[in-house]
Amino acid sequence: MSIRAPEYVTRIAPYQAGKPISELAREYGLREESIIKLASNENPLGIPESARAAMTAAVAELGRYPDSNGFDLKAAISKRYGVAQDCITLGNGSNDILELAAHALLQPGNAAVYSQYSFAVYALATQETGARAIVVPAREYGHDLDAMRDAIDADTRLVFIANPNNPTGTFVAADAIAAFLAAVPRDVVVVLDEAYNEYLEPALRFDSARWLHDFPNLIVSRTFSKAYGLAGLRVGFGLARPELTDLMNRVRQPFNVNSVALAAAAAALGDEAFLQRSYALNREGLARLQQAFAGMGLEYVPSYGNFVLVKVGDADAVYEGLLRAGIIVRPVGNYGLPQWLRVTVGLPQENEAFLEAFARVLGR
Ligand SMILES: *Cc1c(COP(=O)(O)O)cnc(C)c1O
């Protein structure tokens, strides 16, 4: 006798996360403090102090369930983005928002469209509903929006767009996204995943929440895991018109965001100084890494996020060599990019330590 799971579940390739520091320390007998992790696009500054204070206060109330509706955090988001509270969905990370959209909208027989080399969770969220994936070939490692529009068929209910994209770091300008939204049928929901929005230069940023007025089929997804430095807490949010927000709320776990996370996120949202430091540090580190890669004659994809995709050839060997040096980066063979590594921007001294080890491992 064996357990019978749906074929669409047994076919799923589980998500491959960046190697945890504790695991590398165990496996290679290294001290955790000596390890540099540039593998998961985390904020090298760690958590904002404003969030730490809010979390400490929230711990006293952990005997109680969280506010299922997350009133305080929604109020803060509402104020910050100028959207009504009934347009906000809170998520256990923005990963949760992607899954809520999939669970609310997809069933076997439906399809979701996303790009080759786009975020791995789009495939997972699609597959776990039994829907079909329509994977559109990338253009220069980024989204080919014309081809994605053409790929939408009668079964399609959902489109995922990461902007900037992970793992390639590419970016699509506002006017191209707006033209895409205008061309998509109104019964096809577009998830615009802006996990790295805060790292964009001010000139490239655009207020996608404004598009909710024009597009009842739009979900904008944001996270506290990257520039806000709260990856371990798991908080993100989605912005969409009330009809769509209501659908996602129906498939949501009642207490999907814990109370410590709710408090920390509300505090971090108002911490402009921290965001500014995160942004500035990233600009500097990104330029440094890209400049070094260019200097080494390595191909890389110019990035709009807090990471760079660089072509190294035998990526497994280079990854392994870096691990031995106590540095964790991210192999992306599971994305169909077996010759590349994705390197997250770290603190200046972490970037330098990485570059030194990297040059050594590559024999340059
Ligand atoms: C990191 C990332 C997220 C954020 O995930 P969380 O669940 O919010 O931690 C979402 N989308 C993309 C493209 C990402 O790279």
Side-chain angles (χ1 to χ4, degrees):
M1 200 190 79
S2 62
I3 293 164
R4 298 199 298 173
E7 205 190 316
Y8 61 77
V9 172
T10 58
R11 266 205 310 256
I12 291 175
Y15 183 79
Q16 295 178 352
K19 193 182 212 34
I21 287 175
S22 55
E23 189 178 300
L24 178 63
R26 268 198 314 276
E27 289 175 357
Y28 287 69
L30 300 171
R31 282 185 313 114
E32 290 197 13
E33 307 75 51
S34 72
I35 293 173
I36 295 174
K37 184 181 176 208
L38 305 174
S40 299
N41 300 347
E42 295 148 340
N43 191 325
L45 291 173
I47 62 172
E49 281 307 314
S50 53
R52 186 192 297 274
M55 287 191 277
T56 303
V59 165
E61 293 302 317
L62 280 177
R64 302 200 182 279
Y65 280 101
D67 173 1
S68 169
N69 291 313
F71 181 87
D72 292 340
L73 178 54
K74 282 188 186 172
I77 293 169
S78 168
K79 195 161 155 231
R80 168 77 191 259
Y81 290 97
V83 295
Q85 288 206 34
D86 61 358
C87 294
I88 302 169
T89 304
L90 301 180
N92 187 5
S94 60
N95 198 316
D96 197 17
I97 301 299
L98 306 174
E99 297 212 349
L100 293 176
H103 289 151
L105 298 163
L106 298 176
Q107 60 180 331
N110 292 159
V113 168
Y114 52 85
S115 176
Q116 178 190 26
Y117 309 141
S118 65
F119 190 37
V121 170
Y122 306 155
L124 289 172
T126 302
Q127 290 169 334
E128 69 198 30
T129 67
R132 175 168 53 93
I134 300 176
V135 185
V136 177
R139 197 168 59 195
E140 286 166 34
Y141 300 102
H143 290 74
D144 183 343
L145 290 182
D146 291 339
M148 289 177 72
R149 186 201 56 220
D150 292 344
I152 292 170
D153 65 12
D155 300 332
T156 304
R157 298 286 179 276
L158 202 51
V159 178
F160 291 105
I161 296 175
N163 200 38
N165 184 47
N166 171 24
T168 61
T170 56
F171 175 70
V172 180
D175 51 355
I177 299 277
F180 178 81
L181 289 170
V184 166
R186 284 294 175 273
D187 61 348
V188 174
V189 170
V190 177
V191 177
L192 185 57
D193 176 354
E194 300 186 321
Y196 300 96
N197 175 273
E198 295 83 3
Y199 288 116
L200 290 172
E201 291 172 58
L204 295 178
R205 280 184 218 162
F206 49 97
D207 180 11
S208 42
R210 192 171 41 100
W211 288 334
L212 297 181
H213 297 290
D214 297 320
F215 303 110
N217 54 336
L218 172 65
I219 300 172
V220 175
S221 169
R222 294 289 192 96
T223 184
F224 287 95
S225 297
K226 307 286 159 62
Y228 286 103
L230 298 174
L233 268 186
R234 317 303 303 125
V235 207
F237 61 94
L239 305 176
R241 292 262 285 267
E243 302 84 332
L244 203 42
T245 302
D246 172 63
L247 286 174
M248 289 193 284
N249 190 43
R250 288 167 193 262
V251 295
R252 178 177 71 84
Q253 279 184 46
F255 304 103
N256 63 331
V257 186
N258 71 71
S259 10
V260 176
L262 287 171
L269 194 64
D271 197 340
E272 280 300 330
F274 182 82
L275 260 195
Q276 189 48 44
R277 271 173 58 217
S278 302
Y279 170 81
L281 189 76
N282 185 62
R283 295 303 301 171
E284 185 191 313
L286 193 59
R288 171 70 180 125
L289 290 182
Q290 295 188 150
Q291 207 175 50
F293 295 154
M296 297 168 88
L298 296 174
E299 187 183 346
Y300 66 91
V301 181
S303 175
Y304 293 82
N306 65 343
F307 55 88
V308 192
L309 190 67
V310 59
K311 192 171 187 181
V312 298
D314 187 353
D316 286 343
V318 178
Y319 172 64
E320 192 61 35
L322 288 168
L323 286 183
R324 288 183 192 288
I327 297 173
I328 314 173
V329 297
R330 187 65 156 270
V332 282
N334 58 323
Y335 281 93
L337 295 162
Q339 300 198 51
W340 299 71
L341 290 173
R342 193 193 67 192
V343 184
T344 303
V345 175
L347 298 170
Q349 64 271 29
E350 294 176 326
N351 300 333
E352 295 314 315
F354 157 74
L355 287 171
E356 204 240 331
F358 188 53
R360 201 160 16 88
V361 170
L362 286 174
R364 296 178 194 231

